[in-house]
Amino acid sequence: VVAATNRPQELDEAVRRRFTKRLFIPLPERPTRMQLVANLLKDQTASLTQKDYQRVADLTEGYSGSDLAAVCKEAAMAPIRDLGSTIQTVTADKVRAITLKDLEQAVKGTRPSVDPEQLRELQEWNSQFGSSAS
């Protein structure tokens, strides 16, 4: 059985005992955030450099994978929104590429879903009850 929770501290002792492997999955680090954004945008037309991906990774410290997906979805909508009323007559190849500016705007409108205090509690629980990675 595999299970996941954002509230392991609410599990009683009997449940903890039945799950012998308790793994804490931390928020993605900078290189992982860069790779996640690149992967999330791989099927999109984007005009981004390695330096742009680094900038996005810096802006998204504390973001979860789900938060990054939301940022990328929002950034991907910017070129579509720019079309305005011409959207019905424009072909897909005429839509502009996603830019760093689109991602920066998306980050401004997408806050991280993990509260720093909650993260601290999860890390504390992990140090007390978590399994060491092997």
Side-chain angles (χ1 to χ4, degrees):
V1 174
V2 175
T5 181
N6 290 332
R7 300 187 180 278
Q9 62 275 17
E10 294 179 13
L11 298 174
D12 66 18
E13 182 182 344
V15 172
R16 281 196 317 266
R17 201 173 42 249
R18 285 173 179 80
F19 290 101
T20 56
K21 286 282 189 185
R22 294 175 295 272
L23 302 175
F24 172 69
I25 308 299
L27 293 175
E29 295 178 350
R30 186 176 186 263
T32 306
R33 291 193 307 276
M34 287 174 57
Q35 189 62 55
L36 283 169
V37 171
N39 288 349
L40 288 163
L41 296 177
K42 74 177 188 239
D43 295 328
Q44 306 294 324
T45 304
S47 177
L48 299 167
T49 65
Q50 187 68 16
K51 191 173 180 178
D52 294 339
Y53 286 111
Q54 292 169 353
R55 169 80 174 139
V56 173
D58 290 340
L59 292 172
T60 55
E61 175 74 33
Y63 281 59
S64 68
S66 179
D67 298 334
L68 292 171
V71 166
C72 290
K73 285 179 186 177
E74 184 63 27
M77 289 302 296
I80 305 298
R81 288 189 190 105
D82 285 351
L83 295 173
S85 61
T86 65
I87 193 168
Q88 294 181 17
T89 60
V90 174
T91 59
D93 62 322
K94 300 295 183 200
V95 177
R96 72 169 176 79
I98 299 166
T99 65
L100 176 60
K101 182 180 174 185
D102 297 326
L103 284 160
E104 288 172 334
Q105 285 299 112
V107 168
K108 285 181 184 176
T110 308
R111 302 299 350 136
S113 60
V114 180
D115 176 57
E117 177 61 23
Q118 180 187 21
L119 183 60
R120 188 196 59 72
E121 289 173 5
L122 290 169
Q123 291 167 331
E124 186 177 302
W125 187 92
N126 184 58
S127 68
Q128 186 175 0
F129 299 108
S131 301
S132 59
S134 50

